[in-house]
Amino acid sequence: MPKTKDLPGGIIIDVGSTARNKTGSWRTFRPVVDLEKCTGCGICEKFCPEGCITIKKVKGYDKPKCTIDYDYCKGCLICMEECPFKAISSVVESK
Amino acid sequence: MTMHEITVLGRGGQGAVTSAYVLAKAAFHDGKESQAFPFFGVERRGAPVFSFCRISDEQIKLRQQVYHADYLLVLDAALLDNVDVISRVKEGGTVIVNSTHAPDKLKSAKGINIHHVDATNIALKIIGKPFVNVIMLGAFASISGLVSLNGLKKAIDEMFASKPEVAKLNKKATETIYKSMKN
Amino acid sequence: MAREVMEGSQAVARIVANCDVKVIAAYPITPQTHIVQELAKMHADGLIDCEFVNVEAEFSAISAILGATAAGARSFTATSSQGLALMHEVVFAAAGMRLPLVMVIANRALSAPINIWNDHQDSIAERDSGWIQIYCESVQEVVDSVVQAYKIAENKNVLLPVMVCMDGFYLTHVYEPVEIPPKSKVHKFLGKFNYPYKLDPKKPLTMGPLGFPADYARLRKQLAEAVWNSKKVIKEVHDIYAKQFGRVYGDGLLEVYGDGSIALVAMGSVCGTIKDMIDKDELKDVCLVRIRTFRPFPKDEIVEVLKDRDAVVVLDRNISLGNAGAVYLEVRDALYDEKDKPKVVDFVVGLGGVDVNKATLNYVVEKARTVKSGHVEIVDGSEVSSSY
């Protein structure tokens, strides 16, 4: 919250602070997509609790594929759990 | 400052509360200050129900219930069997009962004026139903002189604005009672 | 403008309809029912151009109008007793979020035993919430206070919710002459509701964020100061309203009636009965000090009118269980620093609809002459003859 001048009731008009907080640094495990196996079905996108997955066009493939925003992905691996094609695996993040 | 207090006693569903409300409106149309309120209870059909009205020449500030009325209207004479009406009237006060005859129950009452009017039969004749709550005010107006017949008619029109036929018959019956008591 | 005889509840509905209210959400409860009934009827008849949200309980009612107000719509609700208790959580949130809601409380006792009749326990239980509370003596004052409430609440230096408290049955169910200020005049007085921080997808903002300890304390301090400072605005709005509409209620915070050396301090409709007795000289050497706004508490103002009296007799239509009546505790506290402070005593009267009649008031004043300062007594009605 801005400390200098509070608005009534702590209303925040300087919105977007969540975007500044790059939660990707919290990660222990990093989900990795095998683009060969990925069919772009979109199940991972629906399950991702952080909204970090989008199914979109990637280089070298005709069909859209799973892409992960590593700036915010916390590494919960729900995507890996839910992928019906076992296209997502995990590696330990090197920090 | 003269203020008069009126109590209406009826049975739940008989319209005692509406009666007090009409009276307050009528007095106001006559240029007086008025206030009406129900006894603050839980109404059950058939149980005794009280409602109250104050009429004054000046602004009414008093907000306690009416304990000893100047006038008490009884909409159903059978209520005299289980309600001690006399204890609710001031000395020198007046009781007006809807009854075909002078009620025996009140014969012994001293220092209180007792009137009766056969409102039920007048209601049956004119309205076709035993609605006496409003038309008893005709008797009250006639005996007390505290409200005018015109004031009552205006108040009835206002109260039954959405039911002009009900208003018309009530006004007619009220006037009939008013005139019969004058004679 | 002409007066008309109507029921207190109907008068509330009529004035709300004239306040350019955009959203109404309410759930019926005795003795508030007729207010909601009348508003619903007016809405169905096309007499109010607003959203009428049928909710399943009071918690939803206040939540709906909290949201509506946040979105910039002037809103209204009304409740009583258990309904207000059910709203409790959102009542505090509304003040903390600085949303200018207006709610009419038809004052009624709280369970148990279950009781539908009048006392002030319901709204007194919300006194710490940050809402402004106005207690009214007559139907006319309720009508005028609803208009004033929107003006006070929406003032940019206030931005606080307001409860307009009317005694259940005594004011909700009474028929008496009342003037309903016309729409055009009320609109002009209030102006358009222009909440400075309303929810708008084009200009996103965050309301009701998490407050970490330091943030929370700072914002509660901001809220506390806003409630204290609202006194000035309440008085100003009262004065401007008085000029335009011709009705005065003391200085907006307090009203003093008569000049006896014994001060009866009270709130709500019972003040009318006290005034009637003072007019007729039925209470010897007694004056009435009527608290109109209990929140913010007019501390300095009350000290000024009470410090030189011989005795201060507080009538509480509530009790803070384990201590004494809430009004008494605050009046007594206010007088603490005075040198020759008067005797202060408390009578808890009219709980659960016991009629506070002339006999009760006589009893209280006579008893007050004989007891020591600090006397607290609950008058349950058995002390006085029921057939006064």
Side-chain angles (χ1 to χ4, degrees):
Chain A
M1 264 182 258
K3 293 247 173 355
T4 44
K5 196 171 164 273
D6 289 316
L7 293 174
I11 284 171
I12 300 167
I13 49 172
D14 172 27
V15 288
S17 60
T18 309
R20 288 197 291 272
N21 185 11
K22 300 227 164 141
T23 51
S25 65
W26 301 9
R27 219 164 36 233
T28 305
F29 297 100
R30 165 190 279 256
V32 182
V33 185
D34 181 343
L35 295 175
E36 291 299 327
K37 287 186 185 167
C38 174
T39 65
C41 71
I43 287 178
C44 53
E45 185 186 30
K46 287 190 180 74
F47 274 96
C48 176
E50 296 291 332
C52 289
I53 296 179
T54 32
I55 307 297
K56 63 181 183 190
K57 184 98 184 64
V58 290
K59 242 187 200 165
Y61 294 91
D62 292 340
K63 280 169 104 184
K65 301 279 180 185
C66 163
T67 45
I68 298 173
D69 184 346
Y70 291 109
D71 279 351
Y72 300 104
C73 166
K74 292 172 180 168
C76 71
L77 302 183
I78 285 176
C79 51
M80 185 175 88
E81 185 71 26
E82 296 298 336
C83 177
F85 304 101
K86 307 255 182 267
I88 302 175
S89 55
S90 75
V91 294
V92 177
E93 194 70 60
S94 58
K95 292 193 191 178
Chain B
M1 181 167 70
T2 47
M3 180 166 73
H4 292 91
E5 296 182 316
I6 300 101
T7 296
V8 182
L9 167 64
R11 286 190 190 280
Q14 213 177 7
V17 180
T18 304
S19 175
Y21 288 168
V22 170
L23 185 53
K25 280 175 178 281
F28 185 72
H29 284 309
D30 286 343
K32 291 182 178 159
E33 290 292 317
S34 61
Q35 177 197 62
F37 52 97
F39 173 78
F40 308 143
V42 185
E43 272 196 42
R44 282 171 300 129
R45 188 163 279 271
V49 168
F50 289 96
S51 65
F52 311 105
C53 182
R54 292 193 169 98
I55 299 174
S56 174
D57 298 326
E58 290 175 33
Q59 190 202 344
I60 299 167
K61 295 171 187 159
L62 188 62
R63 290 196 185 274
Q64 68 174 13
Q65 301 219 356
V66 171
Y67 293 93
H68 301 294
D70 297 281
Y71 294 88
L72 196 148
L73 275 61
V74 183
L75 303 186
D76 180 345
L79 287 167
L80 297 173
D81 291 338
N82 34 24
V83 178
D84 181 9
V85 162
I86 297 306
S87 70
R88 292 173 177 271
V89 185
K90 267 180 201 152
E91 217 182 304
T94 301
V95 179
I96 308 169
V97 188
N98 169 24
S99 174
T100 50
H101 55 278
D104 296 339
K105 274 269 166 194
L106 303 178
K107 264 180 187 155
S108 58
K110 281 188 185 113
I112 288 174
N113 311 302
I114 313 287
H115 298 266
H116 70 272
V117 54
D118 189 5
T120 303
N121 270 317
I122 295 172
L124 287 173
K125 244 180 241 157
I126 297 172
I127 306 175
K129 281 172 183 155
F131 297 160
V132 298
N133 58 333
V134 171
I135 69 175
M136 279 288 283
L137 297 175
F140 169 77
S142 179
I143 291 162
S144 70
L146 287 173
V147 284
S148 70
L149 184 60
N150 269 340
L152 275 179
K153 284 179 172 176
K154 266 173 123 173
I156 292 169
D157 279 334
E158 222 178 279
M159 205 71 193
F160 301 102
S162 58
K163 300 171 187 164
E165 190 58 24
V166 175
K168 196 183 126 196
L169 296 174
N170 266 288
K171 282 191 290 185
K172 197 176 164 200
T174 302
E175 184 163 0
T176 305
I177 290 190
Y178 180 87
K179 285 184 174 156
S180 76
M181 301 295 281
K182 277 279 181 227
N183 298 330
Chain C
M1 278 172 280
R3 291 195 303 157
E4 199 186 318
V5 173
M6 68 178 87
E7 195 192 34
S9 297
Q10 191 190 3
V12 171
R14 296 261 304 263
I15 194 61
V16 167
N18 285 359
C19 284
D20 198 22
V21 165
K22 297 288 186 230
V23 179
I24 298 169
Y27 189 82
I29 178 170
T30 302
Q32 158 265 36
T33 313
H34 292 183
I35 299 174
V36 187
Q37 186 180 314
E38 191 67 24
L39 281 169
K41 189 169 176 290
M42 290 174 84
H43 180 257
D45 291 347
L47 298 171
I48 318 176
D49 181 22
C50 72
E51 289 291 325
F52 194 98
V53 189
N54 285 311
V55 285
E56 82 288 1
E58 289 84 356
F59 188 90
S60 307
I62 192 164
S63 298
I65 74 154
L66 182 147
T69 309
R74 188 178 282 152
S75 312
F76 178 79
T77 190
T79 193
S80 262
S81 182
Q82 306 306 123
L84 181 56
L86 185 57
M87 288 180 176
H88 181 74
E89 182 181 336
V90 188
V91 165
F92 274 64
M97 291 173 75
R98 306 291 297 281
L99 292 170
L101 321 181
V102 170
M103 166 156 66
V104 165
I105 305 296
N107 281 116
R108 163 186 152 183
L110 280 174
S111 292
I114 191 165
N115 175 292
I116 59 163
W117 293 276
N118 169 244
D119 69 30
H120 293 161
Q121 198 68 58
D122 49 0
S123 53
I124 287 292
E126 304 298 331
R127 72 193 155 167
D128 302 335
S129 60
W131 284 58
I132 291 169
Q133 293 192 335
I134 300 174
Y135 288 82
C136 301
E137 182 194 318
S138 64
V139 173
Q140 187 67 62
E141 187 180 3
V142 177
V143 166
D144 295 334
S145 298
V146 167
V147 181
Q148 291 176 22
Y150 282 110
K151 190 77 176 169
I152 295 162
E154 293 166 10
N155 183 296
K156 286 191 175 51
N157 297 317
V158 178
L159 293 179
L160 288 169
V162 182
M163 279 180 205
V164 177
C165 303
M166 65 191 298
D167 285 331
F169 293 107
Y170 284 96
L171 296 183
T172 55
H173 285 57
V174 72
Y175 268 62
E176 64 185 22
V178 56
E179 181 195 311
I180 307 294
K183 207 177 249 184
S184 55
K185 226 178 147 188
V186 175
H187 282 200
K188 212 174 151 213
F189 177 78
L190 290 179
K192 277 236 171 303
F193 176 38
N194 196 10
Y195 188 57
Y197 312 102
K198 67 181 173 196
L199 291 175
D200 179 356
K202 287 184 206 119
K203 276 169 68 186
L205 50 75
T206 298
M207 279 184 178
L210 170 71
F212 285 97
D215 300 322
Y216 182 84
R218 204 177 59 253
L219 287 166
R220 294 304 279 188
K221 185 176 170 187
Q222 180 207 60
L223 172 63
E225 280 162 1
V227 185
W228 279 326
N229 295 340
S230 68
K231 271 208 288 196
K232 196 172 148 263
V233 177
I234 295 168
K235 277 188 185 176
E236 280 168 9
V237 168
H238 168 268
D239 291 351
I240 302 167
Y241 188 91
K243 258 192 210 128
Q244 292 188 20
F245 297 87
R247 283 180 292 273
V248 177
Y249 302 104
D251 68 353
L253 303 170
L254 268 189
E255 182 190 357
V256 182
Y257 195 83
D259 53 7
S261 65
I262 297 175
L264 261 182
V265 179
M267 305 198 296
S269 64
V270 72
C271 295
T273 303
I274 298 170
K275 284 178 180 176
D276 183 84
M277 292 181 82
I278 291 173
D279 288 346
K280 292 177 181 143
D281 209 18
E282 290 171 347
L283 288 171
K284 292 275 172 277
D285 201 24
V286 165
C287 72
L288 165 70
V289 175
R290 178 166 81 90
I291 298 176
R292 180 168 183 256
T293 59
F294 183 63
R295 280 292 179 271
F297 190 68
K299 194 170 177 173
D300 299 337
E301 293 80 357
I302 210 157
V303 168
E304 205 45 50
V305 300
L306 292 182
K307 63 180 180 174
D308 296 325
R309 311 275 170 188
D310 293 340
V312 174
V313 184
V314 181
L315 294 178
D316 266 296
R317 244 180 163 140
N318 73 86
I319 181 161
S320 180
L321 294 168
N323 204 339
V327 181
Y328 162 78
L329 293 172
E330 309 216 359
V331 168
R332 200 167 159 86
D333 161 68
L335 289 164
Y336 182 79
D337 289 324
E338 293 310 303
K339 254 194 194 148
D340 300 310
K341 42 183 162 273
K343 158 160 102 177
V344 189
V345 294
D346 187 23
F347 290 89
V348 174
V349 297
L351 293 185
V354 168
D355 197 21
V356 186
N357 52 27
K358 291 187 171 187
T360 311
L361 294 166
N362 261 320
Y363 166 81
V364 160
V365 169
E366 288 315 311
K367 186 81 181 275
R369 292 183 211 271
T370 64
V371 295
K372 279 192 192 144
S373 189
H375 175 84
V376 176
E377 180 175 336
I378 300 170
V379 180
D380 64 15
S382 61
E383 299 81 352
V384 295
S385 162
S386 60
S387 64
Y388 176 75

